[in-house]
Amino acid sequence: MTTTKTTSQAMAAAGPKLQVRGISKRYGDSYALRASDLELRQGEFVTLLGPSGSGKTTLLMMIAGLVQPSSGDIWIDGQVATGQQPYQRDVGMMFQSYALFPHMTVGENIAFPLKMKGMPKDRIRDAVQEVLEQIKLPSVRNRFPSELSGGQQQRIALARSIVHRPSVVLMDEPLAALDKSLRTHMQMEIRQLQQALNITVLYVTHDQEEAMTMSDRICLMNEARIEQMAAPSELYFAPRTVFAAGFLGESNTIEGRVEAVRNGMAEVRHAHGMLEGRLMNTANPGDACRVMVRPEAIRMLAPDRLTPGMNALPATVASHVICGATSRTLLHTPGGVGLSAVQLTCRSTPAPTGPVMAAFTAQDCLVFGAQA
Ligand SMILES: Nc1ncnc2c1ncn2[C@@H]1O[C@H](COP(=O)(O)OP(=O)(O)O)[C@@H](O)[C@H]1O
Ligand SMILES: [Mg+2]
């Protein structure tokens, strides 16, 4: 018996902390979430990122047990959680709509999930003190939430979500109400604590910068579906769809037609000639396609400075502005394509003027067949 138990515990420890299979939610005729799969490893920080209405909250609420799925199953730490009540699930929650209880002290607020689990009083006292020290607010235990700043209240809510050492912590836009500087600070604080304590977090935001800053992996959502799930750098440099390329960062778009496909690269005919780029989905010669290039990948060169093999479009400089650390140049091509180029601001580099070649490598040029 002992061996069996040890083995199953070891398997639970090695397996995913959270697993979701084929989960969906339908309201009447429309889907809030189409059948989706998701897996989180121990200690991972995964963010659901997407526009408003894409199904992020619905997915999180189903994992929390607050919304009943139309199909699919959920496992938390290897145990089936589908059908369990929210309080039976081994999760912590930090939601905007799940604020601190104003009539309870900080200590009572943090103790709440432990009381629900029936932990003895002396152990509750120790656990609350320990987590208060972890969030660097060791002496606010007897205060009321109204006596704390917004940032401190946020940290107490964070403490409450982790105090019972749940398998997974679920956070839905917990920083949305904070001003920018406090939000940036809290992003770092949550990430540091998550890494120090090796907590598994599923986080929701519609802010791409927040998702890029905090996450091990991003689960990009669009129109009730998971669009792509990948590490931030992969999502940025190798988006699989036009939506993904447009949602994370900026992109210039050039319409064209595929002429040839070879070794994952596509040759594309457009209004000014030919381009070569990485084919990000499947497309065949003759298919319409969309070419996307990041502003920071575009260099403005004199025609005699072009390197062989580089993509280049003739252009004129329409405007040039210093935004701060970066400068932005708007370029017009004779065929009417507008391109935006971004460079680091540099005192010794003169502002570009007149006719230039807008140049970029084939690796920085992403080609999407029409169905993406
Ligand atoms: N209780 C509900 N009844 C009907 N439609 C809902 C309900 N909850 C959410 N929806 C719809 O489901 C979609 C996804 O909502 P939601 O998960 O809240 O998106 P997000 O969190 O990404 O903004 C939206 O179109 C929303 O209107
Ligand atoms: Mg939401």
Side-chain angles (χ1 to χ4, degrees):
M1 278 310 275
T2 315
T3 318
T4 318
K5 194 173 175 203
T6 313
T7 312
S8 68
Q9 277 174 343
M11 279 170 66
K17 271 287 157 187
L18 172 70
Q19 192 172 16
V20 169
R21 284 272 167 269
I23 205 168
S24 74
K25 182 65 190 178
R26 220 176 49 210
Y27 291 106
D29 286 343
S30 67
Y31 278 93
L33 186 73
R34 291 180 186 281
S36 299
D37 299 339
L38 186 68
E39 249 181 55
L40 266 69
R41 292 185 293 272
Q42 162 69 47
E44 230 188 344
F45 194 113
V46 173
T47 297
L48 306 178
L49 171 69
S52 177
S54 56
K56 307 179 297 293
T57 295
T58 302
L59 176 50
L60 210 71
M61 296 295 245
M62 288 194 284
I63 296 166
L66 298 165
V67 166
Q68 205 54 40
S70 305
S71 74
D73 276 299
I74 299 160
W75 290 263
I76 296 167
D77 215 5
Q79 306 290 317
V80 180
T82 335
Q84 278 185 337
Q85 293 299 313
Y87 67 87
Q88 295 173 310
R89 301 186 183 202
D90 190 19
V91 298
M93 283 183 260
M94 188 176 172
F95 290 4
Q96 248 185 319
S97 58
Y98 190 57
L100 298 175
F101 305 115
H103 59 285
M104 288 186 191
T105 64
V106 164
E108 288 163 350
N109 262 285
I110 298 176
F112 188 75
L114 302 177
K115 269 197 184 147
M116 293 289 287
K117 294 210 177 287
M119 189 186 266
K121 271 198 171 142
D122 53 334
R123 280 186 53 210
I124 290 184
R125 203 176 324 113
D126 293 347
V128 169
Q129 195 53 40
E130 188 186 343
V131 78
L132 279 171
E133 273 155 32
Q134 281 162 345
I135 58 157
K136 301 191 189 72
L137 288 173
S139 51
V140 300
R141 178 179 198 126
N142 294 319
R143 293 208 217 156
F144 285 92
S146 60
E147 298 172 306
L148 301 176
S149 71
Q152 287 171 330
Q153 289 182 29
Q154 243 15 69
R155 276 146 79 185
I156 301 305
L158 173 64
R160 186 179 60 182
S161 73
I162 63 172
V163 69
H164 55 299
R165 302 285 173 244
S167 290
V168 185
V169 181
L170 307 172
M171 302 188 184
D172 193 351
E173 313 232 12
L175 310 179
L178 305 181
D179 65 48
K180 175 128 177 75
S181 69
L182 186 53
R183 198 163 73 225
T184 311
H185 183 79
M186 282 302 295
Q187 287 168 3
M188 276 167 36
E189 206 149 297
I190 291 176
R191 178 62 162 153
Q192 279 169 6
L193 198 63
Q194 176 265 333
Q195 288 179 319
L197 302 180
N198 197 26
I199 299 168
T200 311
V201 173
L202 185 59
Y203 192 93
V204 166
T205 184
H206 64 273
D207 178 341
Q208 53 121 343
E209 204 175 307
E210 183 162 293
M212 298 282 278
T213 312
M214 299 181 79
S215 319
D216 294 309
R217 283 191 299 156
I218 295 173
C219 176
L220 183 64
M221 301 187 60
N222 182 34
E223 294 183 345
R225 280 185 310 105
I226 294 179
E227 186 94 6
Q228 186 173 355
M229 185 146 174
S233 62
E234 188 185 339
L235 208 52
Y236 193 78
F237 291 117
R240 291 281 144 207
T241 60
V242 169
F243 173 83
F247 197 80
L248 275 102
E250 270 183 76
S251 280
N252 291 294
T253 305
I254 304 163
E255 304 291 338
R257 198 164 284 283
V258 176
E259 288 242 320
V261 175
R262 200 177 316 113
N263 298 332
M265 304 299 283
E267 280 173 40
V268 176
R269 180 167 297 283
H270 62 101
H272 305 291
M274 295 295 293
L275 284 175
E276 191 187 10
R278 289 154 64 199
L279 183 60
M280 304 310 290
N281 57 358
T282 48
N284 295 307
D287 287 353
C289 67
R290 187 168 283 185
V291 176
M292 298 186 91
V293 189
R294 301 269 184 214
E296 69 272 21
I298 295 184
R299 299 173 63 198
M300 289 161 286
L301 300 175
D304 60 346
R305 298 284 305 279
L306 283 178
T307 347
M310 250 193 153
N311 294 308
L313 274 73
T316 51
V317 173
S319 69
H320 178 81
V321 286
I322 298 177
C323 312
T326 59
S327 298
R328 178 180 299 274
T329 310
L330 289 180
L331 299 164
H332 285 166
T333 67
V337 177
L339 294 174
S340 169
V342 167
Q343 299 166 295
L344 284 178
T345 304
C346 178
R347 189 154 30 97
S348 56
T349 310
T353 51
V356 293
M357 294 302 279
F360 44 93
T361 66
Q363 285 301 317
D364 285 331
C365 179
L366 310 182
V367 180
F368 296 93
Q371 82 274 24

